[in-house]
Amino acid sequence: MNIKKHIPNMLTAGNLLSGVMAIVFTLYAGRPDIAMWLIVLSAVFDFFDGMVARLLGVSSPIGKDLDSLADVVSFGLAPATLVFRGLEGLDAGNYLNYGVFIVVAFAALRLAKFNNDTRQSTSFLGLPVPSNALFWIGAAAAIPSFGLSIGASATLITYLVLTLVLSLLMVSELPMFSFKLSKEPLSHKWPQLVLIVVAVGSVVWLGWFGCSVTIIAYLLLSLLPQQKGEKA
């Protein structure tokens, strides 16, 4: 039995299980703080499964499909559940709160599109699904403060608009850079370096909301000319 070929799939399974547990901690344990860390853990698994598969030379169609399934749960459904719970805390029973789950359908569509798009070998077209998740982690953490400052109704409208915007960005043709390892000199990777600095500074200063700020910075930096490229 060749254990080596199963290692990437085991990492992908870790991504999926972390996403599932994030949903459980959000809805049943009442611990969105733990759920946020579990989504981050899913992102760590997601980063390493593709890297390990390439290093070991064991990429497979099954692994690709499993990765997409895990990403829909961990970076679509789990963050949407976090936001839903936050909105329910402001206005329980409002059927419009369910609108945030639209992002799950677009995450699935983005992943299906990516799996059949040969143009994304070194960068992305459209917002990557893990980036979508990081944005919503920060946005979910900010719901209580938004509710206090602008009210429940305005918060709901704001988050429904954000749901539409993020959903469309995921399936857009916007070129976005990736962090895939390459032999390019650091001078060609200045957007990645700037984003790392912004991410660290934002998270240290703003806590979880810094994740949302980081993704906004990622979008703005990606408006600059970039190469085309890789992972969903």
Side-chain angles (χ1 to χ4, degrees):
M1 181 178 179
N2 187 0
I3 299 296
K4 183 174 71 172
K5 70 178 182 180
H6 296 292
I7 294 176
N9 289 345
M10 291 172 63
L11 293 171
T12 304
N15 170 4
L16 177 58
L17 290 173
S18 297
V20 170
M21 291 306 299
I23 296 170
V24 171
F25 273 95
T26 299
L27 294 179
Y28 299 105
R31 294 296 304 271
D33 54 330
I34 295 178
M36 291 174 184
W37 282 112
L38 285 166
I39 294 173
V40 171
L41 180 60
S42 290
V44 173
F45 279 122
D46 185 60
F47 178 79
F48 283 106
D49 64 1
M51 177 187 295
V52 170
R54 288 188 292 270
L55 288 175
L56 297 179
V58 292
S59 298
S60 70
I62 291 178
K64 191 174 184 180
D65 291 341
L66 180 61
D67 184 70
S68 294
L69 174 62
D71 286 359
V72 169
V73 174
S74 299
F75 308 131
L77 182 56
T81 303
L82 268 176
V83 177
F84 172 77
R85 180 189 179 279
L87 294 176
E88 281 284 289
L90 295 180
D91 187 8
N94 190 333
Y95 289 113
L96 291 178
N97 292 340
Y98 290 93
V100 297
F101 287 106
I102 292 172
V103 77
V104 184
F106 276 86
L109 180 59
R110 189 269 182 303
L111 289 162
K113 180 182 176 183
F114 170 79
N115 285 344
N116 293 278
D117 191 341
T118 59
R119 297 172 295 169
Q120 302 185 61
S121 59
T122 58
S123 62
F124 307 118
L125 291 176
L127 183 70
V129 179
S131 298
N132 166 75
L134 290 176
F135 177 87
W136 287 117
I137 288 175
I143 288 178
S145 58
F146 268 96
L148 288 174
S149 60
I150 64 176
S153 297
T155 299
L156 174 59
I157 293 172
T158 299
Y159 277 72
L160 290 178
V161 171
L162 287 172
T163 295
L164 180 60
V165 171
L166 269 290
S167 296
L168 293 177
L169 282 171
M170 282 192 287
V171 296
S172 72
E173 293 289 304
L174 175 66
M176 303 193 71
F177 60 84
S178 75
F179 281 84
K180 183 179 179 181
L181 296 177
S182 69
K183 296 181 179 179
E184 291 181 334
L186 286 179
S187 60
H188 291 180
K189 291 183 175 294
W190 68 265
Q192 288 91 330
L193 298 175
V194 169
L195 187 60
I196 291 172
V197 173
V198 170
V200 173
S202 297
V203 171
V204 170
W205 183 32
L206 300 171
W208 284 114
F209 188 64
C211 294
S212 297
V213 173
T214 298
I215 300 308
I216 293 172
Y218 180 30
L219 288 165
L220 292 175
L221 286 168
S222 293
L223 292 176
L224 300 172
Q226 302 292 336
Q227 306 116 341
K228 293 186 177 181
E230 167 111 325
K231 203 182 177 219

